[in-house]
Amino acid sequence: MGLLVEGTWHDKWYDTEKSKGRFIREQSSFRNQITRDGSSGFSAEPGRYHLYVSYACPWAHRTLIFRVLKNLEEAISVSVVDIYMGSDGWSFSEEDGAIPDFVNNKKFLHEIYTKEKSDYTGRVTVPVLWDKQKQTIVNNESSEIILMFNSEFSCTDDSIDYYPQEQREEIDEVNDFVYKNINNGVYKAGFSTSQEAYEEAFTNLFNALDKIENTLKQQRYLIGDQITIADWRLFVTLIRFDVVYVGHFKCNLRRLEDYPNISNYVRELYQIPGIAETVNFTHIKRHYYESHKAINPTGVVPKGPEVDFTTPHNRS
């Protein structure tokens, strides 16, 4: 973990001293929008944009999923950072399925941030959506990138709108609940540095999972009978739950498999064509256990658990 201070890289873990041991996530810095008509200054043109991601990161995983769902693989190129995040932050390599930075030819992701803004101050995170034409960062907020991918490119598969106008209020409410308690909730538990902060996040997390389990007992998806953006935002956390969050982040009251409706729901989403290819458990496990030295100083990666999301589900 690290951050840039006025363009200079510092290898620094999250500071939780002032927040009584609680992990507080910073807001994303770059929030420009790609629009179909180009009115934003960033026109939705195939081949113009490049996506920097990590297979390990759930926030970046969202963007890979929508790149597949909306058939944007040829329209938006991608680089995948190395599994290990060391003292220089995210780096580029060709090891273990990583894809180097063939657009800007940089070695470290923080160099992309300083290429955009030489005196940038803040965390260096994935995903990053880069404009090859203007040589600038468009956006590094995953929730906004997936909305752009969903609706702004004319070359996309428009057969399914994952953020339909008539359901947006309900979707936004679910997204807010899931983000606070589950997406970010696992990090609040895992990155906490006091018992009080950990137990608070832990309790909220499992209360939320219990609520989701009850919802999925009554309906197929989070918003009724159609898959929406809310399902995919939840999926990226659930797919990592038993593999890393139960052990590494101490979220161990129950496993995913202890929730019959949630576990079948995750298997259904995983089995949608193209989704399994966005899930790389080698990157997920090794990144968390090897890179988070503050949590796992030995860097030893557990052999288990065995997970198989290809088994039949009962959601139909």
Side-chain angles (χ1 to χ4, degrees), residues 47 104 134 146 169 187 195 200 202 280 304:
N104 290 299
K134 289 189 174 183
I146 61 178
E169 184 176 350
Y187 283 90
Q195 190 68 32
E200 177 184 277
F202 183 95
N280 189 315

Side-chain angles (χ1 to χ4, degrees), residues 244-282:
V244 288
Y245 300 145
V246 168
H248 187 59
F249 279 176
K250 309 180 189 71
C251 299
N252 56 4
L253 182 64
R254 284 182 286 277
R255 303 164 305 148
L256 199 70
E257 287 301 315
D258 296 324
Y259 293 99
N261 293 293
I262 291 177
S263 58
N264 277 280
Y265 164 82
V266 174
R267 286 199 293 275
E268 180 188 3
L269 295 179
Y270 180 84
Q271 292 170 27
I272 289 174
I275 299 304
E277 288 74 21
T278 70
V279 180
N280 189 315
F281 285 117
T282 299

Side-chain angles (χ1 to χ4, degrees), residues 19-23 188-189 192-202:
S19 57
K20 297 182 179 179
R22 290 172 174 81
F23 166 67
K188 289 178 181 178
S192 61
T193 56
S194 73
Q195 190 68 32
E196 180 184 4
Y198 163 70
E199 291 186 9
E200 177 184 277
F202 183 95

Side-chain angles (χ1 to χ4, degrees), residues 13 30 46 103 107 118 138 141 171 183 239 243 252 272:
W13 188 255
F30 301 96
V103 171
K107 186 176 180 180
S118 61
V138 180
E141 172 50 57
I171 291 171
N183 295 146
I239 199 71
V243 175
N252 56 4
I272 289 174

Side-chain angles (χ1 to χ4, degrees), residues 80-312:
V80 180
V81 295
D82 192 79
I83 289 176
Y84 181 67
M85 182 169 59
S87 59
D88 287 300
W90 295 112
S91 62
F92 298 103
S93 76
E94 296 184 61
E95 303 293 325
D96 300 303
I99 302 174
D101 178 19
F102 54 87
V103 171
N104 290 299
N105 299 308
K106 299 300 184 182
K107 186 176 180 180
F108 302 108
L109 185 66
H110 67 73
E111 295 177 290
I112 302 300
Y113 278 70
T114 53
K115 181 178 173 68
E116 155 66 26
K117 192 173 188 292
S118 61
D119 61 347
Y120 174 79
T121 294
R123 291 282 170 184
V124 173
T125 60
V126 286
V128 174
L129 187 59
W130 177 264
D131 184 346
K132 291 183 277 189
Q133 184 181 109
K134 289 189 174 183
Q135 290 288 290
T136 188
I137 294 175
V138 180
N139 198 296
N140 69 337
E141 172 50 57
S142 64
S143 64
E144 295 177 0
I145 294 172
I146 61 178
L147 287 174
M148 294 181 232
F149 286 4
N150 177 64
S151 62
E152 297 304 323
F153 286 83
S154 59
C155 58
T156 59
D157 178 1
D158 287 330
S159 61
I160 300 178
D161 179 5
Y162 294 95
Y163 193 51
Q165 185 70 46
E166 65 276 10
Q167 294 177 310
R168 288 184 181 180
E169 184 176 350
E170 186 178 2
I171 291 171
D172 290 345
E173 288 178 3
V174 171
N175 284 343
D176 184 60
F177 172 79
V178 168
Y179 170 78
K180 289 179 179 177
N181 298 291
I182 302 176
N183 295 146
N184 203 37
V186 292
Y187 283 90
K188 289 178 181 178
F191 286 176
S192 61
T193 56
S194 73
Q195 190 68 32
E196 180 184 4
Y198 163 70
E199 291 186 9
E200 177 184 277
F202 183 95
T203 299
N204 290 340
L205 168 64
F206 283 97
N207 285 344
L209 287 172
D210 290 345
K211 182 176 179 178
I212 295 296
E213 173 70 5
N214 186 57
T215 296
L216 295 175
K217 183 179 180 180
Q218 301 172 60
Q219 58 197 46
R220 189 167 182 175
Y221 305 112
L222 295 182
I223 314 292
D225 296 327
Q226 179 180 330
I227 299 176
T228 68
I229 212 163
D231 296 292
W232 294 116
R233 285 176 49 138
L234 175 59
F235 171 82
V236 295
T237 299
L238 297 180
I239 199 71
R240 289 162 171 75
F241 200 82
D242 288 0
V243 175
V244 288
Y245 300 145
V246 168
H248 187 59
F249 279 176
K250 309 180 189 71
C251 299
N252 56 4
L253 182 64
R254 284 182 286 277
R255 303 164 305 148
L256 199 70
E257 287 301 315
D258 296 324
Y259 293 99
N261 293 293
I262 291 177
S263 58
N264 277 280
Y265 164 82
V266 174
R267 286 199 293 275
E268 180 188 3
L269 295 179
Y270 180 84
Q271 292 170 27
I272 289 174
I275 299 304
E277 288 74 21
T278 70
V279 180
N280 189 315
F281 285 117
T282 299
H283 274 242
I284 290 168
K285 284 185 67 173
R286 285 187 53 198
H287 166 74
Y288 279 90
Y289 281 101
E290 292 179 7
S291 301
H292 295 171
K293 297 297 186 183
I295 299 174
N296 186 40
T298 65
V300 172
V301 181
K303 292 289 288 184
E306 290 185 356
V307 292
D308 185 2
F309 292 100
T310 66
T311 57

